[in-house]
Amino acid sequence: MKIAVVSDTHWQPERELPRVLQLLEAEKPDLILHAGDWTNLQLWGYLARIARTEGVAGNCDGAAIVAEMGLLRLLDVEDVKIGLMHGQLFGATAEQAARRAFAQSPVRAVVFGHSHIPCNREEDGVLYFNPGSAARPMGEVKRPSYGILTVEGKEISGEIIYFDK
C-alpha cells in the first residue's frame, strides 16, 4: 500500500492551491495522511478526490477542525499500526511528542508534523516520520516536501520527496 503524507500546509482559500496536490495526484496513493495545520478544511475535499484521507488537527487549526479531526489517531493499515499526530503536545519538540504520545501503543510508525522539518528515522522498531512542510519548509534543506510511506504486510518504509513550488 502506498500512503502519501503531508503536514503543515497552512492553506487559505484566497491563496493558490498548493502544488503538492498535483504531485500527490501523480503519485496515485491508496491513502493520504495529513498531520495537521490545515488551517482550512476545504483542503480535505481536494485531498479526498485523490485518495481516502485521514488527518489530525494541529496548533494552527481552529476549534472546528480540532472537533472534526481530533489531536491523535491510531490507524490500522494492512498489518501495521500507525500513530498520527501533529506534534505540539507535551511541551516537547515534535519528535519527542511523537515518541511520548504513542509510547504505550503497539505502533510500528508514528507520523507527525509541527516542526516543518522532515524526519525519516527508525528507532527501537518504530518509524518516526515527519514529511516536513508542503508550504513553509524549515531546517537545513528549506525546500517544500511531502512523504511516501510504503506498507507491505508488517513492514513499513518511508521516503521524503522534495519539490519546487
Side-chain angles (χ1 to χ4, degrees), residues 27-48:
E27 291 281 356
K28 298 186 182 343
D30 301 298
L31 174 66
I32 298 172
L33 301 180
H34 194 299
D37 279 359
W38 304 74
T39 63
N40 188 297
L41 272 187
Q42 287 181 11
L43 185 57
W44 177 280
Y46 293 108
L47 292 172

Side-chain angles (χ1 to χ4, degrees), residues 47-107:
L47 292 172
R49 287 184 201 137
I50 297 169
R52 183 175 69 109
T53 301
E54 302 284 345
V56 292
N59 60 299
C60 291
D61 294 324
I65 295 174
V66 173
E68 177 77 22
M69 299 281 180
L71 298 174
L72 297 171
R73 186 166 278 180
L74 192 58
L75 304 164
D76 289 305
V77 178
E78 292 191 13
D79 295 327
V80 173
K81 285 203 181 303
I82 300 173
L84 178 61
M85 67 175 301
H86 183 58
Q88 77 276 19
L89 303 175
F90 307 109
T93 68
E95 191 170 344
Q96 290 168 338
R99 291 176 197 287
R100 292 177 189 171
F102 296 98
Q104 303 304 312
S105 299
V107 295

Side-chain angles (χ1 to χ4, degrees), residues 5-7 35 111-113 117-119 129-134 144-147 160-161:
V5 183
V6 293
S7 186
V111 172
F112 64 101
I117 299 171
C119 173
F129 192 82
N130 182 333
S133 175
S145 57
Y146 65 95
I160 303 295
I161 311 291

Side-chain angles (χ1 to χ4, degrees), residues 14 46 115 118 133-135 141 149 160:
E14 64 274 8
Y46 293 108
S115 67
S133 175
V141 179
L149 294 174
I160 303 295

